[in-house]
Amino acid sequence: IEIMSGNIQADGSITAAGKGEVCIASATKNAQFRKLKNIPANTICFDCPNVRPTWASVTYGVFLCLDCSASHRQMGVHITFVRSLDLDEWTQRQIDAMRIGGNDNAKKFFRKHGCTDLKTKTDKKYTSKAAVAYRAELAKLVEAEAVKRGEGVGAPAEGGASSLLDNADAIMKKSVADEARTKLDAARANGGASSAGTLQPSAKLASQMSGTKGRLVTPSGTPGATPPASGGLLSTNGLKKSAGGPRLVLRKPSSSTASSRLLKKGSSLSSTSRLRVNKITTPASSSVGGDLGFEDVETTQKNLENDKKKAAEDKKRREEEDAKLARELQNQLNGLGNGGTNGSPTSTAVPVAVEPVKPVVKSPPKPKVSAHQENMMKLSSMNSDFFSGM
């Protein structure tokens, strides 16, 4: 029994290469990934802003972080196949997919075909038509690189990464054109009947209806059309006939219309919203001539002079009163009285006894003692006080 499928080789060795594939040496793998990691676009995860990704999706040739690789595993290997850059073994075809693809090419292609937000909705992004076209073209170029090394069968492709985007764009355009052609053929095959995704007209012409001859016929006894409230065009077929031919007829608005009520209301409001202005009258002055009652220049100067004289007299009177009060106070202090001015009796001076100044006796200075002696003295006084109370 030949066991060449899965991870078991014919000789019984277990490898991650798969059927008919051979893993390359770790030194060769690390050397190639070292160059790919130095590309600026590959230093950031394709699905999130995390830096230094350590995982990759071989299906799309993009570098991923550990968290995003778990999301890819949930989608299944039929959509995306993830590998660890350091822990897993790699074949040369898988490394070629990372070299031809890369985060930069995938980002350009997905954004060009409507996937602007690359950091969210991972499942929708990798199941879209753009993702299918991109991974299909990437697989073709990887197979072409294998043919160049003599591993595969077929014609080698030319162009590399530049042709990846061009060929993927061509596949997208072709798929859109094929889908549109399929819908059109399905609509034509149904003979005008409604089909999925195709809008069909619901109205019919009068010529297609039974009992008509291309025009609308009203049965006998049907009342004619009434003109609209704002006027219109009326006749046997919708136009009103006159001597000079069809003409536009405008009807006068009835009194019950909203516009007429609004006009009437506006006219009544205009009469009640007028401003009332009262005439301001000023009483005339009886003392001084004139309506405003202002003083003349001579009266004003005379009043000013009278005010100055009155102020001078008041000042002089206050000075005399102050001088008189000062003399009275001085006489009282000297014991002379008022000198018969008010008729009050004279006051005599009262002698005041002065006590002799006692001499200040200075106490002799205390002898200087040391701190130790002072503490001993305090201790002895405390002991004496204690024993005296017993």
Side-chain angles (χ1 to χ4, degrees):
I1 301 174
E2 184 180 4
I3 47 175
M4 292 292 293
S5 62
N7 296 332
I8 302 177
Q9 298 298 315
D11 56 355
S13 61
I14 300 176
T15 178
K19 182 179 179 180
E21 299 292 335
V22 179
C23 293
I24 62 177
S26 298
T28 307
K29 178 197 73 171
N30 295 335
Q32 296 186 47
F33 272 125
R34 194 177 299 112
K35 295 180 181 179
L36 296 178
K37 288 180 181 179
N38 290 333
I39 300 175
N42 296 338
T43 58
I44 302 175
C45 177
F46 183 71
D47 290 340
C48 72
N50 289 339
V51 296
R52 297 179 182 178
T54 56
W55 289 75
S57 172
V58 183
T59 310
Y60 298 96
V62 294
F63 291 82
L64 307 170
C65 66
L66 179 61
D67 297 336
C68 294
S69 66
S71 302
H72 280 247
R73 287 196 196 93
Q74 294 178 359
M75 287 186 286
V77 294
H78 62 288
I79 296 179
T80 172
F81 180 62
V82 293
R83 308 286 292 167
S84 174
L85 303 182
D86 302 324
L87 304 178
D88 294 333
E89 295 178 344
W90 287 69
T91 63
Q92 188 58 45
R93 289 180 181 233
Q94 294 171 348
I95 296 180
D96 289 342
M98 303 302 299
R99 177 176 54 82
I100 297 174
N103 289 7
D104 190 28
N105 290 332
K107 187 181 299 183
K108 290 179 181 178
F109 183 79
F110 277 97
R111 286 183 176 175
K112 183 177 180 180
H113 293 280
C115 187
T116 56
D117 190 3
L118 301 178
K119 306 303 180 185
T120 57
K121 300 180 181 179
T122 306
D123 51 345
K124 294 183 179 181
K125 177 172 59 177
Y126 290 105
T127 55
S128 60
K129 296 179 181 179
V132 174
Y134 186 80
R135 68 191 182 202
E137 184 59 28
L138 180 61
K140 290 181 182 179
L141 295 179
V142 170
E143 186 66 25
E145 289 293 326
V147 171
K148 289 182 181 180
R149 294 192 303 269
E151 298 179 3
V153 179
E158 298 181 357
S162 60
S163 63
L164 170 63
L165 300 180
D166 297 339
N167 296 343
D169 289 339
I171 293 175
M172 282 293 298
K173 293 179 181 178
K174 185 176 182 302
S175 64
V176 172
D178 293 344
E179 184 179 0
R181 189 179 297 106
T182 302
K183 290 183 178 181
L184 183 60
D185 294 341
R188 290 175 178 175
N190 291 337
S194 60
S195 59
T198 306
L199 297 178
Q200 299 293 337
S202 58
K204 293 183 179 181
L205 298 176
S207 58
Q208 298 177 355
M209 299 174 64
S210 59
T212 59
K213 297 182 180 180
R215 62 186 182 87
L216 182 61
V217 179
T218 56
S220 59
T222 303
T226 57
S230 58
L233 299 175
L234 300 175
S235 67
T236 55
N237 291 329
L239 294 177
K240 185 175 182 179
K241 295 184 178 181
S242 62
R247 60 180 181 140
L248 180 65
V249 179
L250 297 178
R251 295 186 59 190
K252 182 180 179 181
S254 60
S255 58
S256 61
T257 59
S259 58
S260 60
R261 289 196 301 269
L262 182 60
L263 292 175
K264 291 182 179 180
K265 187 176 181 181
S267 60
S268 61
L269 289 176
S270 61
S271 60
T272 58
S273 60
R274 296 176 182 176
L275 296 177
R276 181 178 180 181
V277 180
N278 296 331
K279 183 179 179 181
I280 300 175
T281 58
T282 55
S285 175
S286 58
S287 60
V288 184
D291 294 337
L292 298 178
F294 292 138
E295 296 180 350
D296 55 0
V297 179
E298 296 180 357
T299 306
T300 304
Q301 292 180 355
K302 185 177 180 180
N303 293 337
L304 291 176
E305 291 177 358
N306 293 336
D307 293 341
K308 289 181 180 180
K309 289 180 180 181
K310 186 177 180 180
E313 292 177 356
D314 294 342
K315 183 179 180 182
K316 185 178 179 181
R317 186 177 64 257
R318 284 195 301 269
E319 291 178 353
E320 292 177 355
E321 292 177 355
D322 293 342
K324 182 179 179 180
L325 182 59
R327 286 194 303 268
E328 291 179 356
L329 292 175
Q330 186 65 29
N331 293 337
Q332 290 178 5
L333 292 176
N334 295 336
L336 300 177
N338 292 335
T341 309
N342 344 353
S344 62
T346 14
S347 60
T348 58
V350 179
V352 180
V354 180
E355 296 181 358
V357 180
K358 296 180 181 181
V360 180
V361 180
K362 295 182 179 180
S363 59
K366 296 181 181 180
K368 294 182 179 180
V369 294
S370 62
H372 178 68
Q373 293 176 354
E374 187 177 357
N375 292 335
M376 292 300 295
M377 292 171 62
K378 289 182 179 180
L379 183 59
S380 61
S381 63
M382 291 172 61
N383 292 336
S384 62
D385 294 341
F386 176 74
F387 287 108
S388 63
M390 294 179 65

